[in-house]
Amino acid sequence: MKMIQRLLAAAAGALALATPAALAAEAGHHPADYDFSFEGPFGTFDRAQLQRGFLVYQQVCSACHSMNQLHIRNLGEEGGPFYSEEYPNPNDNPVVRAIAADYIVEDGPDEYGDMFERPGRPADRFPNPYANPQMAAAANGGAMPPDFSVIVKARHGGAEYIRSLMLGYDYEVPEDVRIGPGQYYNPYMSGGVIAMPPQLQDGLVEYADGTEATKEQMATDIAAFLAWAAEPHMEVRKKMGLMVMIYLLVLAGLLYAAYRQVWSNVKH
Amino acid sequence: MSGPSTYEPKTGVERWLDQRLPIVRLGWDSFVDFPTPRNLNYWYTFGGILTVCLMIQIVTGIVLAMHYVPHIDYAFASVERIDRDVNFGWLLRNIHANGASMFFLAVYLHMLRGLYYGSYKAPRELLWILGVVIYLLMMAAAFLGYVLPWGQMSYWGAMVITNLFGALPLIGTPITEWLWGGFSVGNATLNRFFSLHYLIPFLIAGIVGLHVWALHVPGNNNPTGLSIKTKADTLPFHPYYTVKDGFAIIVFMIIFAFFVFYWPDALGHADNYIEANALVTPAHIVPEWYLLPFYAILRAVPDKLGGVILMFGAIGVLFILPWLDTSKVRSMRYRPLGRWFFVFFVIACLGLGWCGAELPDNKVPVLGAIGLNFLWLGRILTLYYFAYFLVILPLLGFIEKPTQRPASIEESVLGKGKSDASASAAPAE
């Protein structure tokens, strides 16, 4: 029996090791470690940071990157950057309404069969910067800018990867990497070659909360915002997890006591 | 079931029902008064755990199917919609996706338990074979389910697996096209995969019924591998094992909940959050962790058909295992050599999983210094996997000298020449 116990421990260890090993294999530079507020079992999003990150998205990224799975209303939903207890329904939230109204959305057809344009509403999806993937690729040298909805989940390293990538343009190009026209070297990108030019420079945006918009600050903020965009329910998930864990641990304790009681008169 | 029924209908309604449909009697004899060896350890709790896993998958799956759209243009977005806009959809999907991993974790421990204690031997051959059928169906269900989110790994995983059938001579191409419902993995494929993914769990549930039936005829095996001889060897299932299984199930649920709430994407692949794209092949197509050992076996053979045959052979050999093991002794507890070969077998399975996760040309840590890459490690471990079943277990029965076994289950628990008066007299208090 001891042996099986040891084996099980070894198996658990091997399982734990095997997954990250497989994941790390294809990455170039490992993303730099950064202590995001939403890490760990009790981590939550920093609301001010999400707002700053959204500003970077709105003013910089959204020129090329879509965010198809998100609606503007998500910004004002519980856990979102602009959630306010005063406006549990994001359609009433003036900040969200103002953000939505800044977008021009195609709607229709109207009663005469014509498409028309109108200001955005919180219920709209974030408008796509390009009409279709082909146009997106054509406008960007053949490389379609990836959709941002779940990009943090779709990349090994998650938010830290995004942050490192945004700051990863200052490296010497190694001799064995060939950089074509319209390409840049970025060691965090798989293969080291990226079609996106460096985007961030100090002072590119002006934060409403007075935070200095350094490159590092903006890279960190956009990474945090995209982490939220990929999983708006993360805080609810962790909060519920705590309750579930407490419940299960108490139940396990009670069942163990019952087990000891039931088996107390029986040798086994 | 095992022995005469002890059910006594107490009320008129129960008597009325019992004469027409003795379903209460069936439940009573199966799960209340069922005589169960008194020495079952925690390795025997995985049957109950697996039942719970199946129920969780079916319940969460049915609700997810209400929101999922099996169409290549909408599947990915519908899964995102479940995560974002369906009430508790994120929870359902986390449970269902991680539930598959938990299901396999439990089934592997359940199978290794069976291998270690010789639970596949007479008179439990059919019980074991039904278990292997369930395992096969589980793999099919898991693979089909993994295709449904229509991410990059879904699509390319489906491509790799369905293409395996193309290796068959003559019938290969027709079979592959028949599986696809077209000439490539496409909308027809996704549709039928969804349909079959919904079907298979109910097939599994049916075979689980047979599995439990086949268990309740000979009764449980136990860590000593000895057959039940007297009533003193057993305890009624309820309350002794209901409470023990219940405790184990909750402990298992804690591990399950840890993944669901704190590490939900740990066991999946990041690429599956990229929508399927037939024009972009991922750098590294890997199956889910629970299928990695078979992937390593597949790749161990340079010939595609050979690899496919070997991979299916790795499961096929489990079907004839009851007749391959020639030892008269069931439990590895009393098999000094067999026990060690079993340990190496477990290591080989874990090692194969590791090989499946790595690129074949990558060097193995430490051993890479002598030129060992994962391809060759996979080959060596594949050889051992098959040797264990086809050479070691058949020969060991003739070579090995088993150690002294206790005379009965009762003796193994209480020591020689004693008896547990309290338990045999009134066990169910």
Side-chain angles (χ1 to χ4, degrees):
Chain A
M1 261 343 285
K2 275 251 171 63
M3 182 165 297
I4 297 190
Q5 270 154 17
R6 260 178 271 151
L7 272 177
L8 190 69
L15 202 70
L17 284 176
T19 323
L23 299 185
E26 58 201 68
H29 272 213
H30 205 270
D33 200 35
Y34 184 84
D35 241 348
F36 282 105
S37 66
F38 49 85
E39 289 175 6
F42 305 106
T44 53
F45 291 117
D46 172 353
R47 219 55 58 193
Q49 184 170 49
L50 294 187
Q51 296 184 5
R52 293 195 301 269
F54 174 66
L55 187 79
V56 178
Y57 171 73
Q58 202 183 20
Q59 300 198 354
V60 187
C61 318
S62 68
C64 303
H65 289 277
S66 59
M67 201 157 62
N68 289 333
Q69 312 296 343
L70 273 86
H71 296 79
I72 301 170
R73 65 175 157 82
N74 293 136
L75 296 171
E77 284 171 355
E78 202 170 352
F82 298 103
Y83 174 70
S84 145
E85 284 183 8
E86 234 179 294
Y87 306 104
N89 180 349
N91 290 314
D92 304 331
N93 187 320
V95 183
V96 178
R97 289 172 72 97
I99 290 169
D102 274 347
Y103 289 102
I104 298 297
V105 183
E106 190 183 49
D107 203 344
D110 63 13
E111 55 198 300
Y112 306 107
D114 297 321
M115 301 303 279
F116 61 95
E117 287 186 335
R118 60 161 173 82
R121 292 194 284 253
D124 289 323
R125 287 177 187 269
F126 279 93
N128 201 318
Y130 301 104
N132 50 56
Q134 287 78 0
M135 191 186 286
N140 289 281
M144 188 180 86
D147 182 76
F148 266 6
S149 317
V150 269
I151 195 129
V152 163
K153 286 186 186 179
R155 297 290 183 275
H156 302 306
E160 284 172 355
Y161 164 83
I162 304 288
R163 183 177 176 275
S164 293
L165 187 83
M166 293 314 294
L167 298 172
Y169 284 91
D170 299 332
Y171 290 86
E172 198 75 21
V173 184
E175 280 174 20
D176 57 338
V177 178
R178 246 199 52 213
I179 304 294
Q183 293 185 327
Y184 303 85
Y185 178 67
N186 191 322
Y188 297 103
M189 184 80 179
S190 169
V193 181
I194 189 167
M196 175 174 72
Q199 296 294 332
L200 300 180
Q201 35 183 302
D202 291 343
L204 183 66
V205 300
E206 200 173 318
Y207 284 137
D209 62 359
T211 308
E212 197 187 340
T214 60
K215 266 164 68 168
E216 284 76 17
Q217 185 67 46
M218 287 185 284
T220 311
D221 291 345
I222 186 65
F225 172 74
L226 292 177
W228 167 80
E231 203 191 349
H233 293 300
M234 186 209 72
E235 288 172 356
V236 184
R237 158 165 74 79
K238 288 176 181 173
K239 226 194 281 179
M240 189 190 286
L242 183 65
M243 292 299 142
V244 170
M245 282 296 177
I246 292 171
Y247 175 84
L248 286 176
L249 284 169
V250 170
L251 184 57
L254 287 174
L255 277 168
Y256 188 70
Y259 160 70
R260 291 296 298 261
Q261 175 67 30
V262 166
W263 283 76
S264 59
N265 62 340
V266 183
K267 283 203 174 168
H268 59 286
Chain B
M1 300 288 147
S2 216
S5 177
T6 59
Y7 173 67
E8 282 170 30
K10 290 191 183 71
T11 62
V13 177
E14 282 178 87
R15 269 191 298 276
W16 185 89
L17 184 64
D18 196 52
Q19 283 156 12
R20 289 160 180 82
L21 179 70
I23 192 164
V24 182
R25 179 181 297 277
L26 178 71
W28 174 272
D29 294 339
S30 304
F31 304 109
V32 179
D33 194 43
F34 185 72
T36 313
R38 61 191 298 160
N39 59 339
L40 299 189
N41 53 35
Y42 279 107
W43 296 102
Y44 283 80
T45 59
F46 286 99
I49 288 170
L50 284 161
T51 313
V52 174
C53 283
L54 178 64
M55 292 190 302
I56 290 175
Q57 289 305 89
I58 289 180
V59 171
T60 55
I62 286 174
V63 182
L64 286 170
M66 296 175 190
H67 302 281
Y68 170 76
V69 183
H71 187 287
I72 53 172
D73 291 339
Y74 305 109
F76 188 83
S78 76
V79 171
E80 276 304 309
R81 192 180 159 275
I82 288 170
D83 258 4
R84 292 163 190 276
D85 288 338
V86 173
N87 291 336
F88 298 104
W90 59 271
L91 179 61
L92 287 170
R93 195 174 77 89
N94 280 356
I95 293 174
H96 198 72
N98 285 290
S101 281
M102 292 299 123
F103 208 153
F104 275 94
L105 176 66
V107 90
Y108 282 133
L109 293 171
H110 191 65
M111 291 167 78
L112 288 174
R113 191 285 319 270
L115 282 175
Y116 186 82
Y117 294 122
S119 306
Y120 48 85
K121 293 191 195 191
R124 298 184 183 83
E125 302 96 322
L126 273 180
L127 173 60
W128 170 262
I129 287 170
L130 286 166
V132 180
V133 172
I134 293 171
Y135 174 53
L136 255 180
L137 287 171
M138 276 176 65
M139 288 199 285
F143 160 69
L144 296 169
Y146 195 59
V147 176
L148 301 185
W150 208 242
Q152 275 286 67
M153 279 298 153
S154 301
Y155 178 84
W156 290 98
M159 199 62 120
V160 169
I161 300 297
T162 50
N163 265 315
L164 291 180
F165 294 92
L168 298 169
L170 294 174
I171 52 168
T173 310
I175 283 192
T176 315
E177 286 172 359
W178 178 69
L179 288 172
W180 285 339
F183 300 99
S184 178
V185 174
N187 198 48
T189 322
L190 182 60
N191 262 295
R192 61 190 53 197
F193 277 21
F194 178 56
S195 170
L196 293 172
H197 182 70
Y198 208 121
L199 165 71
I200 289 179
F202 298 97
L203 298 181
I204 292 177
I207 297 179
V208 166
L210 296 181
H211 190 66
V212 174
W213 189 5
L215 167 70
H216 283 184
V217 175
N220 289 76
N221 184 29
N222 65 87
T224 64
L226 301 172
S227 300
I228 294 170
K229 291 182 177 114
T230 63
K231 203 164 182 293
D233 288 341
T234 69
L235 294 168
F237 188 79
H238 181 76
Y240 292 97
Y241 286 104
T242 42
V243 72
K244 190 168 186 169
D245 280 1
F247 172 62
I249 287 167
I250 296 304
V251 170
F252 188 80
M253 285 302 129
I254 291 173
I255 301 168
F256 196 152
F258 169 76
F259 279 102
V260 166
F261 292 103
Y262 294 112
W263 217 15
D265 292 314
L267 300 168
H269 197 290
D271 278 16
N272 228 26
Y273 280 109
I274 303 171
E275 192 168 1
N277 185 342
L279 302 176
V280 180
T281 316
H284 188 183
I285 304 174
V286 279
E288 293 280 78
W289 69 268
Y290 39 81
L291 300 177
L292 287 172
F294 298 102
Y295 196 46
I297 292 175
L298 173 74
R299 291 194 302 193
V301 190
D303 174 59
K304 189 172 166 189
L305 180 60
V308 172
I309 291 173
L310 214 58
M311 186 177 75
F312 283 105
I315 300 156
V317 72
L318 297 175
F319 281 98
I320 52 168
L321 170 64
W323 297 277
L324 289 173
D325 185 350
T326 51
S327 176
K328 296 272 180 292
V329 180
R330 286 199 193 101
S331 173
M332 289 286 180
R333 219 181 237 190
Y334 310 106
R335 297 183 60 181
L337 291 176
R339 192 191 310 180
W340 281 104
F341 285 113
F342 173 83
V343 170
F344 291 131
F345 175 77
V346 177
I347 294 170
C349 292
L350 293 173
L352 280 169
W354 189 19
C355 293
E358 296 281 348
L359 291 171
D361 290 337
N362 283 358
K363 291 272 183 284
V364 180
V366 186
L367 293 170
I370 54 164
L372 187 68
N373 60 18
F374 279 102
L375 176 65
W376 276 98
L377 180 64
R379 286 179 175 166
I380 294 165
L381 296 177
T382 302
L383 191 68
Y384 184 79
Y385 180 97
F386 282 98
Y388 179 75
F389 292 116
L390 297 175
V391 181
I392 295 168
L393 285 181
L395 290 183
L396 216 53
F398 300 105
I399 301 165
E400 185 180 50
K401 195 173 171 298
T403 54
Q404 179 68 44
R405 284 175 292 160
S408 68
I409 296 171
E410 186 191 16
E411 189 193 295
S412 80
V413 173
L414 303 172
K416 223 170 182 152
K418 292 179 195 157
S419 71
D420 187 355
S422 66
S424 48
E429 271 170 1

